[in-house]
């Protein structure tokens, strides 16, 4: 059994090969797409690939490298893809055929800044390795267990039927947290678990008996916690005022909310938490303070969905590596009386979750 996992973003294509018993064989990525693209594979020097302008072109570079190094794509037993959105129809991993690809293409409007990249790579890999099962694994699927009350938006009921609802994201990594935490802690999975996925994109999830019951991201990936360049939750009246008073077009508003706000906007320095923590500038300090305070408020808002709290787990690049951020968030939450021995760090691993799902299907 040999599996390939692909994770396409706007500026990168990550890939990983798993062998027997889901042992990781190698990881790599084509990064810097759109600026300074380069091929990076663990243990090898990075190599520039200047002709790559899209994740789909990055896939061809990765596929060529894999073939040259004994991992011909057509010889894998299965290929797994991280697909950001499955809508309400796709809530479990699925082997993709032409009809399903068509269904997924129709969902682009639900995640216009993310879904096209994953679907483009999926389509191309189905062409390159047409005889290999290509399995779509959905970031929204983990949250399909939420009660309907948690998925509704306070809009007229007719909009819910059109798909305007809370979906939630980062589900593949939350699934990994549920699988991995007992092995790391040596204890059964806490019944009432608050998971914080903190990275350039960030969310939190209330997990009860291993299932999602509420999460901070909703209809889009811009909701909830403040992020690297995304606003997180924001008064909708501000958006109306920006369009009316600042004469922002829809495209300009989208760019502001997704690419120029968050830590970058608050600090005016960088969206990178490492840079902000290392800076003594007032703007950087204020941005980090806002991030931690906001995260704690969102964390507290999830506790009613659990009826209490037994444990907290941090994951994602910031959650795993930024100890000062974890400490500040926990300080804001000390009134919850969660013992420190019930606070955990689980390294993110969406690729392993995808590989596990692919193995189960093929």
């Amino acid at each position: 059994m040999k599996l390939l996992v692909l994770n396409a973003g706007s500026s990168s294509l990550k890939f990983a090969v798993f062998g027997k018993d889901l042992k990781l064989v190698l990881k790599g990525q084509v990064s810097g797409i759109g600026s300074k693209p380069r091929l990076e594979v663990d243990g090898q020097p990075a190599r520039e690939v200047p002709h790559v302008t899209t994740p789909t072109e990055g896939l061809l570079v990765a596929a060529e490298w894999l073939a040259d190094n004994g991992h011909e794509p057509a010889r894998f037993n299965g290929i797994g893809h991280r697909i950001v959105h499955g809508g309400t129809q796709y809530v479990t991993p699925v082997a993709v055929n032409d009809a399903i690809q068509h269904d997924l293409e129709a969902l682009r409007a639900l995640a216009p800044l993310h879904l096209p990249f994953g679907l483009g790579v999926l389509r191309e890999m189905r062409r390159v390795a047409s005889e290999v099962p290509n399995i779509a694994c959905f970031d929204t699927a983990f949250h399909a267990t939420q009660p309907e009350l948690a998925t509704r938006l306070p809009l007229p009921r007719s909009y819910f039927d059109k798909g305007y609802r809370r979906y939630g994201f980062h589900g593949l990594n939350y699934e990994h947290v549920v699988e991995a935490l007992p092995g790391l802690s040596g204890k059964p999975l806490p019944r009432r678990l608050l998971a914080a996925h903190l990275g350039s994109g960030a969310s939190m999830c209330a997990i009860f008996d291993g299932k999602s019951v509420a999460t901070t991201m909703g209809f889009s990936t811009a909701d909830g916690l403040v992020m690297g360049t995304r606003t997180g939750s924001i008064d909708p009246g501000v958006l109306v005022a920006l369009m009316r008073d600042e004469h922002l077009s829809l495209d300009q508003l989208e760019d502001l909310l997704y690419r120029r706000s968050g830590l970058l906007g608050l600090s005016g320095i960088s969206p990178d938490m490492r840079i902000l923590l290392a800076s003594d500038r007032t703007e950087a300090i204020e941005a980090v303070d806002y991030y931690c305070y906001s995260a704690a408020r969102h964390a507290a808002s999830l506790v009613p969905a659990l009826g209490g709290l037994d444990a907290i787990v941090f994951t994602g690049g910031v959650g795993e590596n930024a100890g000062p951020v974890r400490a500040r968030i926990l300080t804001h939450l000390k009134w919850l009386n969660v013992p420190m021995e019930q606070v955990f760090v689980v390294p993110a691993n969406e690729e392993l979750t995808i590989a596990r799902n692919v193995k189960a299907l093929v």
Side-chain angles (χ1 to χ4, degrees):
M1 176 73 69
K2 188 161 72 167
L3 308 173
L4 174 64
V5 171
L6 299 170
N7 183 347
S10 59
S11 61
S12 69
L13 173 77
K14 299 177 182 178
F15 58 92
V17 174
F18 291 84
K20 184 180 179 181
D21 298 326
L22 297 182
K23 182 179 180 181
L24 180 66
V25 176
L26 64 88
K27 291 181 72 172
Q29 64 175 330
V30 180
S31 62
I33 297 173
S35 54
K36 295 182 178 180
R38 57 198 176 275
L39 173 66
E40 302 171 286
V41 180
D42 289 349
Q44 297 191 12
R47 173 166 63 88
E48 291 186 5
V49 285
H51 57 285
V52 172
T53 60
T54 67
T56 302
E57 292 175 349
L59 170 65
L60 298 177
V61 169
E64 181 181 13
W65 184 92
L66 288 166
D68 290 343
N69 288 272
H71 304 288
E72 173 65 44
R75 299 177 72 88
F76 282 98
N77 297 96
I79 300 172
H81 300 259
R82 174 179 175 250
I83 302 298
V84 168
H85 217 304
T88 57
Q89 182 177 357
Y90 294 103
V91 296
T92 58
V94 61
V96 179
N97 55 27
D98 288 345
I100 291 174
Q101 178 96 36
H102 182 268
D103 285 349
L104 297 178
E105 296 285 352
L107 298 176
R108 281 176 176 244
L110 291 175
L113 300 185
H114 295 82
L115 202 50
F117 305 113
L119 292 181
V121 167
L122 172 61
R123 188 187 318 107
E124 184 65 13
M125 184 50 80
R126 291 183 61 226
R127 182 190 69 81
V128 171
S130 59
E131 300 301 315
V132 181
N134 276 260
I135 311 299
C137 300
F138 303 99
D139 236 2
T140 49
F142 183 74
H143 305 293
T145 55
Q146 292 186 9
E148 185 175 302
L149 182 64
T151 68
R152 284 196 171 272
L153 295 170
L155 294 170
R157 296 182 67 88
S158 60
Y159 286 100
F160 184 81
D161 298 332
K162 293 180 179 180
Y164 291 92
R165 46 162 287 166
R166 299 181 63 83
Y167 291 97
F169 300 88
H170 294 138
L172 291 168
N173 193 44
Y174 288 131
E175 183 179 341
H176 167 67
V177 166
V178 168
E179 291 282 341
L181 183 55
L184 290 173
S185 68
K187 305 174 184 177
L189 184 75
R191 193 172 195 202
R192 300 175 300 180
L193 177 65
L194 175 66
H197 177 113
L198 307 181
S200 58
S203 69
M204 291 182 176
C205 183
I207 300 173
F208 188 81
D209 283 344
K211 299 184 184 300
S212 171
V213 293
T215 188
T216 55
M217 277 185 174
F219 176 76
S220 76
T221 58
D223 196 14
L225 279 65
V226 66
M227 305 173 222
T229 63
R230 290 173 244 169
T231 58
S233 299
I234 188 171
D235 180 351
V238 173
L239 311 185
V240 174
L242 286 169
M243 297 183 71
R244 181 190 62 225
D245 302 334
E246 303 297 326
H247 310 294
L248 296 186
S249 67
L250 285 175
D251 287 345
Q252 290 172 325
L253 183 63
E254 184 177 76
D255 182 59
L256 175 66
L257 297 178
Y258 282 89
R259 302 184 185 91
R260 297 196 290 116
S261 298
L263 288 172
L264 174 62
L266 286 166
S267 69
I269 299 170
S270 173
D272 192 321
M273 182 61 77
R274 293 168 296 186
I275 292 174
L276 297 180
L277 286 172
S279 174
D280 59 0
R281 289 177 55 180
T282 300
E283 300 93 331
I285 295 169
E286 289 178 347
V288 175
D289 285 345
Y290 183 98
Y291 182 96
C292 298
Y293 171 67
S294 173
R297 286 188 57 174
H298 280 285
S301 76
L302 292 175
V303 175
L306 293 169
L309 193 59
D310 298 321
I312 299 173
V313 59
F314 290 93
T315 184
V318 175
E320 296 165 31
N321 301 307
V325 171
R326 294 197 304 270
R328 291 191 208 183
I329 293 172
L330 291 171
T331 297
H332 287 302
L333 295 174
K334 60 184 178 182
W335 56 274
L336 286 171
N337 296 319
V338 176
M340 282 306 297
E341 60 266 23
Q342 287 301 107
V343 177
F344 304 99
V345 175
V346 175
N349 199 336
E350 295 167 329
E351 291 81 9
L352 179 58
T353 297
I354 295 171
R356 185 183 297 113
N357 287 325
V358 173
K359 181 181 179 182
L361 282 181
V362 304

